[in-house]
Coordinates of all heavy atoms in Angstrom, one line a residue:
Chain B
I198 N -88.8 135.3 34.3 CA -87.7 134.6 33.8 C -86.4 135.3 34.2 O -85.4 134.6 34.6 CB -87.7 134.6 32.2 CG1 -88.9 133.6 31.8 CG2 -86.4 134.1 31.6 CD1 -89.2 133.7 30.3
S199 N -86.4 136.6 34.2 CA -85.1 137.3 34.7 C -84.9 137.0 36.2 O -83.8 136.9 36.6 CB -85.2 138.8 34.4 OG -86.2 139.4 35.2
A200 N -86.0 137.0 36.9 CA -85.9 136.6 38.4 C -85.4 135.2 38.6 O -84.6 134.9 39.5 CB -87.3 136.9 39.1
L201 N -85.9 134.3 37.7 CA -85.4 132.9 37.7 C -83.9 132.9 37.6 O -83.2 132.2 38.4 CB -86.1 132.1 36.7 CG -85.4 130.7 36.4 CD1 -86.0 129.7 37.3 CD2 -85.6 130.3 35.0
I202 N -83.4 133.6 36.6 CA -82.0 133.5 36.3 C -81.2 134.1 37.5 O -80.2 133.5 38.0 CB -81.6 134.3 35.0 CG1 -82.3 133.6 33.8 CG2 -80.1 134.3 34.8 CD1 -82.3 134.5 32.6
A203 N -81.7 135.2 38.0 CA -81.1 135.8 39.2 C -81.1 134.9 40.4 O -80.1 134.7 41.1 CB -81.7 137.1 39.6
G204 N -82.3 134.2 40.6 CA -82.4 133.3 41.7 C -81.5 132.1 41.6 O -80.9 131.7 42.6
V205 N -81.4 131.6 40.4 CA -80.5 130.4 40.2 C -79.0 130.8 40.5 O -78.3 130.1 41.2 CB -80.7 129.8 38.8 CG1 -79.6 128.8 38.5 CG2 -82.1 129.2 38.7
L206 N -78.6 131.9 40.0 CA -77.2 132.4 40.2 C -77.0 132.6 41.7 O -76.0 132.2 42.3 CB -77.0 133.7 39.5 CG -76.9 133.6 37.9 CD1 -76.7 135.0 37.3 CD2 -75.6 132.8 37.6
L207 N -77.9 133.2 42.4 CA -77.8 133.5 43.8 C -77.8 132.2 44.6 O -77.0 132.1 45.5 CB -79.0 134.4 44.2 CG -78.9 135.0 45.6 CD1 -77.6 135.9 45.7 CD2 -80.1 135.9 45.9
G208 N -78.7 131.3 44.2 CA -78.7 130.0 44.9 C -77.5 129.3 44.8 O -77.0 128.6 45.7
D209 N -76.8 129.4 43.6 CA -75.6 128.7 43.4 C -74.4 129.3 44.2 O -73.6 128.5 44.7 CB -75.2 128.7 41.9 CG -74.0 127.8 41.6 OD1 -74.1 126.6 42.0 OD2 -73.1 128.3 41.0
I210 N -74.3 130.6 44.2 CA -73.1 131.2 44.9 C -73.3 131.3 46.4 O -72.4 131.4 47.2 CB -72.8 132.6 44.3 CG1 -73.9 133.6 44.5 CG2 -72.4 132.4 42.9 CD1 -73.5 135.0 44.1
S211 N -74.6 131.3 46.9 CA -74.8 131.3 48.3 C -75.6 130.1 48.8 O -74.9 129.0 49.1 CB -75.6 132.6 48.8 OG -76.8 132.7 48.1
A212 N -76.9 130.0 48.7 CA -77.6 128.8 49.1 C -79.0 128.9 48.6 O -79.5 130.1 48.5 CB -77.6 128.6 50.6
V213 N -79.7 127.8 48.4 CA -81.1 127.9 48.1 C -81.9 127.9 49.4 O -82.1 126.8 50.0 CB -81.5 126.6 47.2 CG1 -83.0 126.7 46.9 CG2 -80.7 126.6 46.0
D214 N -82.2 129.1 49.8 CA -83.0 129.2 51.1 C -83.7 130.5 51.1 O -83.7 131.2 50.1 CB -82.1 129.1 52.3 CG -81.0 130.2 52.4 OD1 -81.1 131.1 51.7 OD2 -80.1 130.0 53.2
Q215 N -84.4 130.8 52.2 CA -85.2 132.0 52.3 C -84.4 133.3 52.1 O -85.1 134.3 51.8 CB -85.9 132.0 53.7 CG -86.8 130.8 53.9 CD -88.0 130.8 53.0 OE1 -88.6 131.8 52.7 NE2 -88.3 129.6 52.5
N216 N -83.1 133.3 52.3 CA -82.4 134.5 52.2 C -82.4 135.0 50.8 O -82.1 136.2 50.5 CB -80.9 134.3 52.6 CG -80.8 134.3 54.1 OD1 -81.5 135.0 54.9 ND2 -79.9 133.4 54.6
V217 N -82.7 134.2 49.8 CA -82.8 134.6 48.4 C -83.8 135.8 48.3 O -83.6 136.8 47.6 CB -83.2 133.5 47.5 CG1 -83.5 133.9 46.1 CG2 -82.1 132.4 47.5
A218 N -84.9 135.6 49.0 CA -86.0 136.7 48.9 C -85.5 138.0 49.6 O -85.8 139.0 49.2 CB -87.3 136.2 49.6
A219 N -84.8 137.8 50.7 CA -84.2 139.0 51.4 C -83.3 139.7 50.6 O -83.3 141.0 50.5 CB -83.5 138.5 52.7
F220 N -82.4 139.0 49.8 CA -81.5 139.7 48.9 C -82.3 140.4 47.8 O -82.0 141.5 47.4 CB -80.6 138.6 48.2 CG -79.6 139.2 47.3 CD1 -78.4 139.7 47.8 CD2 -79.7 139.2 45.9 CE1 -77.4 140.2 47.0 CE2 -78.8 139.7 45.1 CZ -77.6 140.2 45.6
G221 N -83.4 139.8 47.4 CA -84.2 140.4 46.3 C -84.9 141.7 46.7 O -85.2 142.5 45.9
L222 N -85.0 141.9 48.0 CA -85.6 143.1 48.5 C -84.8 144.3 48.1 O -85.3 145.5 48.1 CB -85.8 143.0 50.0 CG -86.8 144.0 50.7 CD1 -88.2 143.8 50.2 CD2 -86.7 143.8 52.2
L223 N -83.5 144.1 47.8 CA -82.6 145.2 47.4 C -83.0 145.8 46.1 O -82.4 146.8 45.7 CB -81.2 144.7 47.5 CG -80.5 144.5 48.8 CD1 -79.2 143.8 48.7 CD2 -80.3 145.8 49.5

Side-chain angles (χ1 to χ4, degrees):
Chain B
I198 290 169
S199 69
L201 165 88
I202 298 165
V205 170
L206 288 175
L207 192 59
D209 187 56
I210 64 176
S211 58
V213 180
D214 64 11
Q215 298 295 316
N216 282 326
V217 170
F220 184 82
L222 200 62
L223 285 170

